[in-house]
């Protein structure tokens, strides 16, 4: 095997490798006529599926994700040497690497089959790097679906490792490392240790903050509507809405104006001016891309984006439908393409013909165009066989798996069905100078909607059916009543997970494989909260976002980030050089870094100015950030130590939180003999002398709260128990977390529970852990779930 450098400390396979596996194309093929070979995949869950179809002449091993990456505790990029990455073995992967080398042994042929995307290409590259050996041949195979035909086709058409795809992944990794590892220390210095910034995540937070400020700035405007209940020559009565006066659009600003209109209408004669009948065609939606899969799963199934991708991965990698019969159920789930293989279209059309009849089958297959930015590397997400109906395999799958599979299956079949036809009737009614409108719709032919109706919260859903009586031009109508109603204009809506994914996609921010990670990260960092399914920036999110916008305008600019994504795509396509892209970015970024280190406002030191004054000394208050979050502090410190928590009202204005009323206690101050009172401070509950400020004696109650059981906000997970987990101390003084219903409930854990549901498996809470190498991190309480996020 020949290797050569590409400027990134990498190497390449020759551009074409011929594999004399002619028999591999034969449907009866059960293995290679050559000596045994090794297939290396990314996930161990694929091993059984592949072994079933590859036969005894192939061993299969897994990397279990990345085996090499940039180091955790240092930048790991040599900027002065052309942004050369300094890869290290991922912690805990030494055992995996030993197993891979043992499996490779003296074999001559290694088939590299990680996932068919940029990350998979990087895994293939690093795997070949650790297994390289004189005379050994490496073949890159791409499994777009884990079915017998797809696996055999991929093995029969091996490729070389894609240099440009690997360089694109590497450039993205370096860009993210430069931004994250060089901005974050500035935030530690200026705001709070442990904060982080990200090239893409910070833009997502910026979008959420900007939307929140639009909501704060929004001024609702009053307007009124007038609805008439009318009846023609035959029932039923129907409703019509006032829309125009003298054929001009009418706006009713207030109740006074509406009452004046009602007086005029009381004398008017209602007459049908025009009845229009038309048929609206509603075309089926295209097959699913990654972003559309996430949006639909969020809307219809109430899955998070991360959970959607985790379940989709399981469906792709293969599940047992019969004992010993694992099979991949969907095609690869990271794609931005709506393209579908001809065989799959033919299969869907055959199914539609048999199940629904010729009325539901278009004369020609439906073809969908890709968006301009689509890479089209993979097909759309579809079932590997439409004849594998959800009802037939439901007993083999979990509830989440079958729900997502059914969504994908129905969407794909629907995309090849006929359009729905909806009969719409529109009626124009005159009443003196005023014009009313009434409309109704009736489904003439359901088409694709017989299988895949619009979701309840989808903007494109069919309006509620309204039945209109027989009406004709010139018909006089009887008015039963006129109903005025007050309305107010509404602010722009907050982002849901679905709408944020859509916004990111439409603006070219991130790529299909990154959306779920972005949404999880911005919540995990504490910059945003998901309240009733909608994103709201936290106060910390506002503070960090404002500082970053001022110091790093390019990083927080949507267009700049989108152009960078396009540059990464062009690197993958071989159109531009990766080092040139990195140099172009870093030249301006370095200047911003140097300026921010000197000029970024220190929230720790000066704080952020607000238009409020200290309630004790009258000096200006400032926002500062402590270990318990942002708070207000007097600028006259240390002469004045006034502090308060604060909130923002619906207009975004800061309001000082007044401390809870002092609670009298039976304790006596040990210094002056006056009664002690219980108070709540920034660092928790404490006792203070009632003679303050003459006596400033205080005592923290945090230790006592821990002995009694400090609340965690997490409900006990034991079935039928309504207790809560609280912090306690064992007899030896070790902190643990047990149920408040003890001794009737003995549930207890050592790890600190965090009141945040798992985004992957929906477990009720996460637990906090820490190691010397990894630092603090959150892990799912469910032992069978592998979800983990760094703190």
């Amino acid at each position: 095997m020949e290797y050569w450098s590409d400027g990134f400390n990498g190497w390449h396979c020759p551009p074409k490798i011929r594999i004399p596996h002619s028999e591999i194309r034969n449907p009866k093929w059960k293995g290679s006529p050559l000596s045994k070979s090794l297939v290396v995949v990314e996930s161990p869950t694929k091993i059984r599926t592949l072994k079933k179809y590859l036969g005894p002449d192939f061993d299969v091993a897994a990397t279990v994700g990345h085996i090499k990456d940039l180091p955790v505790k240092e930048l790991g990029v040599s900027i002065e040497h052309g942004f050369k990455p300094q890869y290290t073995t991922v912690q805990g992967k030494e055992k995996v690497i030993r197993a891979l080398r043992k499996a490779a042994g003296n074999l001559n042929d290694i088939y590299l089959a990680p996932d068919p995307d940029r990350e998979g290409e990087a895994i293939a590259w690093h795997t070949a790097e650790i297994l390289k050996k004189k005379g050994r041949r490496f073949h890159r195979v791409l499994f777009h679906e884990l079915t017998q035909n797809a696996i055999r086709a991929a093995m029969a058409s091996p490729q070389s490792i894609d240099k440009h795809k690997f360089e694109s992944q590497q450039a993205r990794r370096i860009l993210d490392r430069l931004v994250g590892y060089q901005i974050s220390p500035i935030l530690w210095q200026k705001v709070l240790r442990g904060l982080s910034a990200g090239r893409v995540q910070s833009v997502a937070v910026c979008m959420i903050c900007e939307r929140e400020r639009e909501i704060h700035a929004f001024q609702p405007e009053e307007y009124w509507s007038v609805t008439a209940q009318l009846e023609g020559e035959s029932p039923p009565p129907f409703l019509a809405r006032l829309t125009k006066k003298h054929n001009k659009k009418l706006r009713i600003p207030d109740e006074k104006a509406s009452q004046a209109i009602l007086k005029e209408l009381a004398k008017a004669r209602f007459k049908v001016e025009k009845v229009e009948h038309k048929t609206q065609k509603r075309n089926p939606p295209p097959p699913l891309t990654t972003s559309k899969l996430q949006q639909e799963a969020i809307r219809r199934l109430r899955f998070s984006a991360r959970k959607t991708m985790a379940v989709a991965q399981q469906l792709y990698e293969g599940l047992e439908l019969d004992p010993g019969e694992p099979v991949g159920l969907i095609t690869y789930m990271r794609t931005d393409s709506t393209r579908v293989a001809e065989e799959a279209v033919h299969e869907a059309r055959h199914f539609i013909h048999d199940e629904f009849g010729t009325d539901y089958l278009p004369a020609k297959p439906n073809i969908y165009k890709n968006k301009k930015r689509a890479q089209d590397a993979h097909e759309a997400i579809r079932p590997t066989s439409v004849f594998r109906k959800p009802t037939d395999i439901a007993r083999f799958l979990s509830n989440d798996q079958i729900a997502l599979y059914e969504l994908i299956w129905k969407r794909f079949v629907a995309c090849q069905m006929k359009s729905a036809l909806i009969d719409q009737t529109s009626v124009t009614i005159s009443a003196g100078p005023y014009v009313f409108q009434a409309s109704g719709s009736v489904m003439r032919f359901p088409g694709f909607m017989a299988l895949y109706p619009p979701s309840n919260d989808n903007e494109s859903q069919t309006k509620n059916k309204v039945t209109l009586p027989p009406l004709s031009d010139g018909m006089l109508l009887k008015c039963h009543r006129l109903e005025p109603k007050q309305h107010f204009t509404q602010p722009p809506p907050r982002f849901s997970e679905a709408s944020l994914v859509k916004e990111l996609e439409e603006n070219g921010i991130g790529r299909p494989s990154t959306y779920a990670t972005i949404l999880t990260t911005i919540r995990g960092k504490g910059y945003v909260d998901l309240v009733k399914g909608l994103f709201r920036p936290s106060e910390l999110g506002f503070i960090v976002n404002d500082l970053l916008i001022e110091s790093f305008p390019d990083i927080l600019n949507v267009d700049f980030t989108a152009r960078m994504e396009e540059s990464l795509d062009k690197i993958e396509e071989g159109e531009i050089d990766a080092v040139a892209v990195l140099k172009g970015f870093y030249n301006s970024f370095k200047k911003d870094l140097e300026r921010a280190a000197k000029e970024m406002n220190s929230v720790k030191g000066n704080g952020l100015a607000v238009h409020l004054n200290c309630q004790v000394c009258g000096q200006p208050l400032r926002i500062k950030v402590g270990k318990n979050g942002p708070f207000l502090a007097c600028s006259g410190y240390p002469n004045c130590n006034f502090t308060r928590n604060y909130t923002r009202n619906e207009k975004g204005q800061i309001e000082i939180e007044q401390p809870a009323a002092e609670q009298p206690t039976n304790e006596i101050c040990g210094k002056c003999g006056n009664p002690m009172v219980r108070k709540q401070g920034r660092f928790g509950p404490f006792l203070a002398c009632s003679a303050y400020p003459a006596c400033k004696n205080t005592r923290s109650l945090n230790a006592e709260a821990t002995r009694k059981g400090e609340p965690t906000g997490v409900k006990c997970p034991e079935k039928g128990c309504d207790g809560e987990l609280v912090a306690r101390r064992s007899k030896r003084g070790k902190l643990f977390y047990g149920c408040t219903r003890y001794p009737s409930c003995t549930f207890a854990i050592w790890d600190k529970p965090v009141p945040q549901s798992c985004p992957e498996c929906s477990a009720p809470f996460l637990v906090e852990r820490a190691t010397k190498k990894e630092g603090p991190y959150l892990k799912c309480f469910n032992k069978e779930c592998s979800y983990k996020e760094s703190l």
Side-chain angles (χ1 to χ4, degrees), residues 191-249:
V191 186
L192 182 69
R193 188 162 187 85
L195 297 181
S196 70
R199 186 179 62 86
V200 178
Q201 75 179 48
S202 295
V203 178
V205 173
C206 182
M207 286 179 170
I208 295 169
C209 289
E210 287 180 354
R211 177 61 58 86
E212 193 70 17
R213 288 207 161 103
E214 288 176 17
I215 295 170
H216 289 163
F218 181 80
Q219 295 294 333
E221 293 184 12
E222 181 185 11
Y223 70 97
W224 286 67
S225 65
V226 174
T227 303
Q229 187 187 53
L230 307 171
E231 187 173 359
E233 294 175 357
S234 58
F238 63 96
L239 299 178
R241 189 181 179 97
L242 177 61
T243 57
K244 295 179 181 179
K245 182 179 183 180
H246 297 302
N247 284 324
K248 292 183 179 179
K249 188 176 181 180

Side-chain angles (χ1 to χ4, degrees), residues 558-709:
V558 170
D559 292 335
F560 177 85
T561 307
R563 289 196 301 272
M564 187 58 65
E565 292 290 350
E566 290 176 359
S567 295
L568 293 171
D569 291 344
K570 289 180 179 178
I571 293 172
E572 180 173 344
E573 293 158 7
E575 295 180 11
I576 54 177
D577 179 64
V579 176
V581 171
L582 292 169
K583 283 182 178 178
F585 167 80
Y586 199 72
N587 286 340
S588 61
F589 179 61
K590 184 180 180 182
K591 295 175 184 176
D592 290 341
L593 278 173
E594 292 170 350
R595 185 174 61 253
K598 297 177 182 177
E599 301 177 7
M600 181 184 283
N601 190 9
S602 174
V603 184
K604 280 184 178 179
N606 299 327
L608 303 176
V610 294
H611 300 295
L612 293 171
N613 293 326
C614 177
Q615 296 176 350
V616 174
C617 70
Q619 296 191 67
L621 292 174
R622 290 184 172 272
I623 294 176
K624 294 195 173 185
V625 178
K627 65 178 183 179
N628 291 327
F631 63 97
L632 294 174
C634 181
S635 57
Y637 180 84
N639 295 325
C640 178
N641 60 2
F642 175 84
T643 62
R644 283 289 186 274
N645 291 326
Y646 68 93
T647 57
R648 290 185 186 268
N649 62 23
E650 60 183 14
K651 292 298 179 184
Q653 298 166 335
I654 289 177
E655 295 181 344
I656 298 175
E657 279 190 2
Q658 297 303 325
E662 297 177 353
Q663 300 175 9
T665 69
N666 295 325
E667 295 200 36
I668 300 299
C669 175
K671 290 186 176 181
C672 70
N674 282 296
M676 299 287 280
V677 293
R678 180 187 172 95
K679 293 186 176 183
Q680 184 71 27
R682 185 158 53 91
F683 300 107
F686 67 98
L687 291 179
C689 181
S690 58
Y692 179 87
C695 178
K696 297 181 179 180
N697 183 27
T698 62
R699 187 176 87 243
S700 172
L701 294 176
N702 279 332
E704 294 179 25
T706 300
R707 283 198 303 273
K708 294 178 181 178

Side-chain angles (χ1 to χ4, degrees), residues 334-350:
R334 294 186 179 93
T335 177
D336 56 6
S337 175
T338 56
R339 175 177 55 83
V340 177
E342 288 184 16
E343 311 85 69
V345 171
H346 177 75
E347 193 179 79
R349 287 175 60 81
H350 184 67

Side-chain angles (χ1 to χ4, degrees), residues 315 321 329 388-397 402 405:
L315 297 175
L321 301 188
L329 297 178
R388 203 172 283 120
K389 295 190 292 185
T391 52
D392 294 340
I393 64 174
R395 65 186 186 277
F396 301 111
L397 277 60
I402 193 59
Y405 178 75

